[in-house]
Amino acid sequence: MAVTNTTGLEDLLSEWHQLPKEERFGWFRGLPRNLREDLFLDLSSYEQSELVLAMPPHEQRTWMRVLAPDDAADLIQQVEDEDQRKALLDRLDETNRRDVQALLAYAEDDAGGLMSPRFARLRPDMTVDHAITYLRLQGRQMETVYYCYVLDNEQRLLGVVSFRELFASEGSKRIDQIMERDVVSVLEDTDQEEVARVIGTHKLLAVPVVDTEGRVKGIVTVDDVVDVVQEEASEDIQKMGAVSALEVSYMETSFWEMIRRRVGWLSVLFLGQLLTATAMDHYEDEIARAVVLVVFLPLIISSGGNSGSQASTLVIRAMALGEIKLRDWTRILLRELPSGLTLGVVLAVLGFVRILVWEWMGMSYGEYYYLIGGTLALSLVGVVLFGTVTGAMLPLALRALRLDPATASAPFVATLADVMGVIIYFSMASVLLRGTLL
Amino acid sequence: MAVTNTTGLEDLLSEWHQLPKEERFGWFRGLPRNLREDLFLDLSSYEQSELVLAMPPHEQRTWMRVLAPDDAADLIQQVEDEDQRKALLDRLDETNRRDVQALLAYAEDDAGGLMSPRFARLRPDMTVDHAITYLRLQGRQMETVYYCYVLDNEQRLLGVVSFRELFASEGSKRIDQIMERDVVSVLEDTDQEEVARVIGTHKLLAVPVVDTEGRVKGIVTVDDVVDVVQEEASEDIQKMGAVSALEVSYMETSFWEMIRRRVGWLSVLFLGQLLTATAMDHYEDEIARAVVLVVFLPLIISSGGNSGSQASTLVIRAMALGEIKLRDWTRILLRELPSGLTLGVVLAVLGFVRILVWEWMGMSYGEYYYLIGGTLALSLVGVVLFGTVTGAMLPLALRALRLDPATASAPFVATLADVMGVIIYFSMASVLLRGTLL
């Protein structure tokens, strides 16, 4: 049967990933040519670069030429050694080299770094029949023929014709009669996350990249954007988990690289936590007099941390998806204040009930158990409210400072909530328990 | 100038989101027709359904017919009321209704629920010239013309021809001479996350959906998959932050719905944290004798939580991207054991230095400060090691139990690490400080 359910290639890829790096090239060479090509095209740019660098020059030439210019540029961008980059560029033929060099001038994360210079161009005064014949001649030169861009003599964008439109139109009509003039485009230095958002919102298959004069420099296709979306989501997820974003996959990251990406934030958060120790130092007397208070301390501080994580997670993701903007901060605050209060009250009730249940079960916290319960309950309201509001506002504050809102926000909020939890709890205790336990 | 940098429509969308729900329909009606159509197509299925339900029947008819069958099916899937669903179906014309009904039979999250039944079909014995003329006749019937699928008489998939290939080929060649026979396809019940991964890995613009007999039922295009990728990433991020995944955007979610999505996990984690209180109860004597120990308790338990979050974040994301599989668990364990140990030693050194610095600054923890420092340091190694290993293994365990690994993993690990932190710390103290402070 002609249909393969992807399994062959999937298995190959998985086998590739299991191999130690130094054995991969030998194994790759042993595959039949058509499998090698399929596998090569499915690898990430980083893996492609490793493979190509392991090859002798004449094989490098072959494999570099298999790639489209934007993919070749991506591969070269993965190589750190300047001489090796130059050598790989030299393996390309003249036209390709020029295209790739132009692409390398852009930052990797910009629309310019994502785009392909190969797209279908038409002139406004062509007829539909003429356009179709013309496109058939251009043939293999094009990255995508789903949209044809209509340009004037200075390469400025006049409009766009989808292939479906072109096909469905009468042969004698002129392109400028059928083209759509309202074209969504992005600039060369538009950030890739924004490019992904534009393509996603408008459900496009490709978006043209123009310079400030409106001249088309290339197109970004939606398949490039799927990678971007995954990459950006990984970055956010990792940062929210207090890990510096990995450059390559989990398994490809070396042991020490992995430690380096984790130890920084872990130490920063540890140093932040030393503040809780300092705060606790202040309450040593209270603790000595009412040890029972300490029993609930971890509960208090982690409730603040958990509610803070929830709020910051929601706000960070909504910002990444463009659902909320910086200017919405008052509306968010007005939502999160009552949310924090409500959630705090729920936990306070649970906490108070726990004290009562223990009391009924005979494991008493002493005659003032109801005061301890009250301290616990009120502190929970305070700390959950604080965690929720801080969790919602911190990502917005980071964005206002032009920092990435995802950066370790959740654990950061948890640390703040810990310190604040200690302060709220013991302050509450010194008010409520004065004259009884304290 | 003909080029608009997306701003017009972006502003409209943002204005739409700012409006209270009950004012949206009136505002929408006031827009010029072409803007209304652009805006409508850019809305999420949920927003489209709200808008359409607010319309009188004859307008519903118009707007339902603007949508492609897969989008119409998505809209109807958002409507909960059975009568309203039926009414909306009735607004479609005969052919469309049949297509939409067929799509509604699939689960929303499956390939079948994502696919469009409109794709370009060719027969293997057509010539290229004939195929192009034929496609021009089909015209507007097609969702995408980037790939043309070659089918036999029973609708079974024989191969695929890209448009670029078709265009670049000689007019007299037969389709079966130029088609690619190794076609990547997915099954009707393939999960949408897997569909996204297949499209992403193979850098496809569309993938055909076949039944178990190899008959093509439709295609999933990459633009549908961008939404899926974003959706799945949001779900993972929210679950990792201990929030049940939101169905609609942050701002669209009502206050009580938002509380509902947060209070469940927050309470579960709170109940989990009650274990720390129970654990602490056991150590009340030790605490009373050495109050100084309590000062470092928040530090200990949050270090375990943070290192656990890091490990679980890394493993969950790597699993979501298909970088690691369940069967890799021993390799992951063998990486995370030394990672946890190294990270623990780093924090232990920082903690010990903190004690020494305080000592030098004259804020003494008493004559046994080095023993307290030792207890702190060794406990940190233990708790970070525990957090790291648990954080890495818990998502794999959840997957093995066929649960979603992302579900509240990070806060769950933090809670486990808290309880374990209390136990490790006080056990360590009772060994090291016996005969001195305890």
Side-chain angles (χ1 to χ4, degrees):
Chain A
M1 193 163 103
V3 182
T4 64
N5 251 314
T6 78
T7 33
L9 202 44
E10 297 279 298
D11 286 349
L12 268 187
L13 259 176
S14 153
E15 212 173 316
W16 161 272
H17 283 121
Q18 305 277 339
L19 282 176
K21 286 190 188 188
E22 55 286 1
E23 290 174 25
R24 287 179 178 172
F25 178 51
W27 177 82
F28 178 78
R29 265 191 157 165
L31 296 175
R33 166 80 203 198
N34 65 328
L35 283 184
R36 264 184 295 169
E37 186 158 334
D38 285 348
L39 178 69
F40 184 69
L41 291 174
D42 276 2
L43 294 176
S44 72
S45 324
Y46 178 78
E47 293 165 330
Q48 286 174 341
S49 75
E50 284 196 321
L51 190 56
V52 167
L53 288 176
M55 295 174 178
H58 70 277
E59 281 183 53
Q60 287 186 342
R61 178 185 310 265
T62 314
W63 288 101
M64 286 303 292
R65 293 179 183 203
V66 165
L67 296 168
D70 51 334
D71 294 329
D74 286 347
L75 185 158
I76 291 175
Q77 240 147 6
Q78 301 292 336
V79 178
E80 281 176 25
D81 183 281
E82 200 47 57
D83 290 341
Q84 287 182 325
R85 289 170 79 129
K86 231 196 125 304
L88 289 183
L89 257 179
D90 284 343
R91 307 281 176 259
L92 298 168
D93 64 67
E94 185 73 25
T95 334
N96 256 309
R97 188 160 55 234
R98 260 204 312 274
D99 281 348
V100 171
Q101 260 165 337
L103 293 176
L104 284 173
Y106 293 101
E108 217 180 326
D109 291 352
D110 284 353
L114 270 184
M115 74 187 180
S116 160
R118 309 256 170 98
F119 56 93
R121 301 150 211 248
L122 296 176
R123 303 233 167 265
D125 52 359
M126 282 175 166
T127 62
V128 169
D129 276 338
H130 180 186
I132 291 178
T133 316
Y134 173 76
L135 289 172
R136 288 186 70 176
L137 286 173
Q138 288 196 339
R140 273 171 234 273
Q141 304 297 316
M142 299 173 292
E143 162 92 358
T144 174
V145 286
Y146 191 75
Y147 300 125
C148 308
Y149 298 96
V150 187
L151 309 185
D152 68 10
N153 289 328
E154 267 100 57
Q155 306 291 314
R156 275 192 303 255
L157 188 57
L158 299 176
V160 66
V161 181
S162 77
F163 233 80
R164 179 158 53 169
E165 194 61 42
L166 189 67
F167 263 48
S169 299
E170 248 173 77
S172 58
K173 277 206 171 158
R174 272 165 54 115
I175 293 299
D176 54 9
Q177 292 177 292
I178 60 165
M179 74 185 183
E180 166 72 43
R181 287 163 199 275
D182 262 353
V183 189
V184 174
S185 64
V186 295
L187 293 168
E188 291 162 292
D189 61 354
T190 303
D191 182 77
Q192 62 176 0
E193 202 167 354
E194 176 64 17
V195 176
R197 224 176 49 67
V198 168
I199 290 185
T201 315
H202 299 285
K203 296 166 190 161
L204 301 171
L205 287 176
V207 68
V209 181
V210 300
D211 64 14
T212 45
E213 317 277 295
R215 286 184 298 243
V216 183
K217 310 304 272 185
I219 56 168
V220 177
T221 50
V222 68
D223 52 322
D224 296 322
V225 153
V226 173
D227 294 345
V228 169
V229 168
Q230 287 286 27
E231 235 173 68
E232 298 280 346
S234 296
E235 245 186 74
D236 279 3
I237 289 175
Q238 285 161 359
K239 284 184 181 166
M240 288 165 73
V243 179
S244 309
L246 303 182
E247 304 242 317
V248 291
S249 74
Y250 174 84
M251 281 298 191
E252 300 282 322
T253 307
S254 72
F255 179 78
W256 287 109
E257 179 65 20
M258 189 60 99
I259 294 290
R260 212 172 61 73
R261 305 248 161 210
R262 288 156 79 163
V263 79
W265 274 113
L266 209 55
S267 305
V268 168
L269 294 170
F270 183 84
L271 296 177
Q273 278 291 344
L274 284 176
L275 289 175
T276 55
T278 310
M280 297 278 288
D281 275 341
H282 283 270
Y283 298 106
E284 245 185 283
D285 287 350
E286 282 84 350
I287 296 169
R289 266 176 280 157
V291 169
V292 63
L293 284 181
V294 178
V295 167
F296 297 105
L297 186 65
L299 185 67
I300 296 274
I301 62 183
S302 78
S303 298
N306 287 336
S307 53
S309 295
Q310 287 189 331
S312 64
T313 300
L314 287 166
V315 169
I316 291 169
R317 188 58 187 163
M319 272 203 281
L321 294 178
E323 291 171 4
I324 57 182
K325 304 246 177 331
L326 205 47
R327 61 164 185 264
D328 296 322
W329 75 270
T330 42
R331 292 172 66 206
I332 297 164
L333 186 60
L334 287 176
R335 284 196 72 160
E336 292 300 324
L337 270 171
S339 298
L341 206 59
T342 312
L343 294 169
V345 168
V346 172
L347 296 196
V349 170
L350 286 177
F352 201 83
V353 167
R354 158 66 155 77
I355 301 267
L356 291 183
V357 168
W358 248 238
E359 205 59 35
W360 289 330
M361 287 168 65
M363 293 167 288
S364 179
Y365 290 110
E367 61 174 317
Y368 297 112
Y369 71 90
Y370 58 92
L371 282 181
I372 296 177
T375 305
L376 178 63
L378 287 179
S379 303
L380 279 169
V381 174
V383 81
V384 170
L385 185 60
F386 175 84
T388 303
V389 171
T390 316
M393 292 296 117
L394 187 72
L396 292 163
L398 287 173
R399 167 65 57 92
L401 296 170
R402 299 182 176 284
L403 296 171
D404 184 340
T407 308
S409 281
F412 218 71
V413 169
T415 303
L416 281 176
D418 282 0
V419 179
M420 204 56 197
V422 168
I423 297 174
I424 291 176
Y425 186 43
F426 286 108
S427 311
M428 206 64 91
S430 58
V431 173
L432 287 185
L433 303 180
R434 183 165 311 280
T436 55
L437 286 177
L438 293 179
Chain B
M1 191 163 102
V3 182
T4 63
N5 251 314
T6 78
T7 33
L9 201 46
E10 298 278 297
D11 286 349
L12 269 188
L13 259 176
S14 151
E15 214 173 315
W16 161 273
H17 283 121
Q18 305 278 337
L19 284 176
K21 287 190 186 186
E22 54 287 1
E23 290 175 23
R24 287 180 176 170
F25 179 50
W27 176 84
F28 179 77
R29 266 190 155 168
L31 296 175
R33 166 80 203 198
N34 65 327
L35 282 184
R36 264 184 295 169
E37 185 158 336
D38 285 349
L39 179 68
F40 184 70
L41 291 174
D42 276 3
L43 294 177
S44 71
S45 325
Y46 178 78
E47 293 165 331
Q48 286 173 343
S49 74
E50 283 196 323
L51 191 56
V52 167
L53 288 178
M55 295 174 176
H58 68 280
E59 283 183 52
Q60 289 185 341
R61 179 187 307 267
T62 315
W63 288 101
M64 287 303 292
R65 292 179 183 204
V66 166
L67 296 169
D70 51 335
D71 295 328
D74 286 346
L75 186 158
I76 291 174
Q77 241 146 4
Q78 300 293 334
V79 178
E80 281 178 25
D81 183 279
E82 200 48 55
D83 290 341
Q84 288 183 323
R85 289 171 79 130
K86 231 194 125 306
L88 290 182
L89 256 178
D90 285 342
R91 307 282 175 257
L92 297 168
D93 63 67
E94 183 73 25
T95 334
N96 256 309
R97 187 162 54 239
R98 258 205 314 274
D99 281 348
V100 171
Q101 260 165 337
L103 292 176
L104 283 173
Y106 293 103
E108 217 180 325
D109 292 352
D110 283 354
L114 270 184
M115 75 188 179
S116 160
R118 310 256 171 98
F119 57 93
R121 300 151 211 247
L122 297 176
R123 302 236 169 263
D125 52 358
M126 283 176 165
T127 63
V128 169
D129 276 337
H130 181 189
I132 291 178
T133 316
Y134 173 76
L135 289 173
R136 289 186 69 175
L137 287 174
Q138 288 196 337
R140 275 171 232 274
Q141 305 296 316
M142 299 175 290
E143 163 91 358
T144 175
V145 286
Y146 191 76
Y147 300 124
C148 309
Y149 298 95
V150 187
L151 310 184
D152 68 12
N153 290 328
E154 267 101 57
Q155 307 293 313
R156 274 192 303 255
L157 188 56
L158 299 177
V160 66
V161 180
S162 79
F163 233 80
R164 178 156 54 168
E165 195 61 42
L166 189 66
F167 263 49
S169 299
E170 249 173 78
S172 57
K173 276 205 172 159
R174 273 165 54 118
I175 293 299
D176 54 9
Q177 291 177 289
I178 62 166
M179 73 186 184
E180 167 71 43
R181 287 165 198 273
D182 260 354
V183 189
V184 174
S185 64
V186 296
L187 293 168
E188 292 162 291
D189 61 354
T190 304
D191 181 77
Q192 61 175 359
E193 202 167 356
E194 176 65 15
V195 177
R197 224 176 51 68
V198 168
I199 290 186
T201 315
H202 300 284
K203 294 166 190 160
L204 301 171
L205 287 176
V207 68
V209 181
V210 299
D211 65 13
T212 44
E213 317 277 295
R215 284 184 299 245
V216 184
K217 310 306 271 188
I219 56 168
V220 177
T221 51
V222 68
D223 51 323
D224 296 322
V225 154
V226 173
D227 294 345
V228 169
V229 168
Q230 287 287 26
E231 233 173 69
E232 298 280 346
S234 295
E235 245 186 74
D236 279 3
I237 288 176
Q238 285 161 359
K239 284 185 183 165
M240 286 164 73
V243 179
S244 310
L246 303 182
E247 304 242 318
V248 291
S249 74
Y250 173 83
M251 282 298 191
E252 300 283 321
T253 307
S254 72
F255 179 79
W256 287 111
E257 177 66 20
M258 188 62 98
I259 294 290
R260 213 173 59 73
R261 304 250 163 205
R262 287 154 81 163
V263 80
W265 275 114
L266 209 56
S267 306
V268 168
L269 293 172
F270 183 85
L271 295 176
Q273 277 291 343
L274 285 175
L275 289 175
T276 56
T278 309
M280 298 278 288
D281 275 341
H282 282 272
Y283 297 107
E284 246 185 281
D285 287 348
E286 282 84 350
I287 295 170
R289 266 176 280 157
V291 170
V292 62
L293 283 181
V294 178
V295 167
F296 298 104
L297 185 65
L299 185 66
I300 296 275
I301 62 184
S302 77
S303 297
N306 288 335
S307 53
S309 295
Q310 288 189 330
S312 63
T313 300
L314 287 166
V315 169
I316 290 168
R317 188 59 187 163
M319 271 202 282
L321 294 179
E323 290 171 5
I324 57 183
K325 303 244 176 332
L326 204 49
R327 61 164 185 263
D328 296 322
W329 76 272
T330 42
R331 292 172 66 205
I332 297 163
L333 186 60
L334 287 177
R335 285 197 70 160
E336 292 301 324
L337 270 172
S339 297
L341 206 59
T342 312
L343 294 169
V345 167
V346 172
L347 295 195
V349 169
L350 286 177
F352 201 82
V353 166
R354 158 66 156 77
I355 301 266
L356 291 183
V357 168
W358 248 237
E359 204 59 34
W360 290 330
M361 287 169 67
M363 290 168 288
S364 181
Y365 290 109
E367 60 175 318
Y368 298 112
Y369 72 90
Y370 57 94
L371 281 182
I372 296 177
T375 305
L376 179 62
L378 287 178
S379 303
L380 280 169
V381 174
V383 81
V384 170
L385 184 60
F386 176 83
T388 303
V389 171
T390 316
M393 293 297 116
L394 186 71
L396 292 163
L398 287 173
R399 167 66 57 91
L401 296 170
R402 299 185 177 282
L403 296 170
D404 184 339
T407 309
S409 280
F412 218 73
V413 169
T415 303
L416 281 177
D418 282 0
V419 180
M420 204 57 199
V422 168
I423 297 173
I424 292 177
Y425 187 43
F426 286 108
S427 311
M428 205 66 87
S430 60
V431 172
L432 286 186
L433 303 180
R434 183 166 309 283
T436 56
L437 287 176
L438 295 179

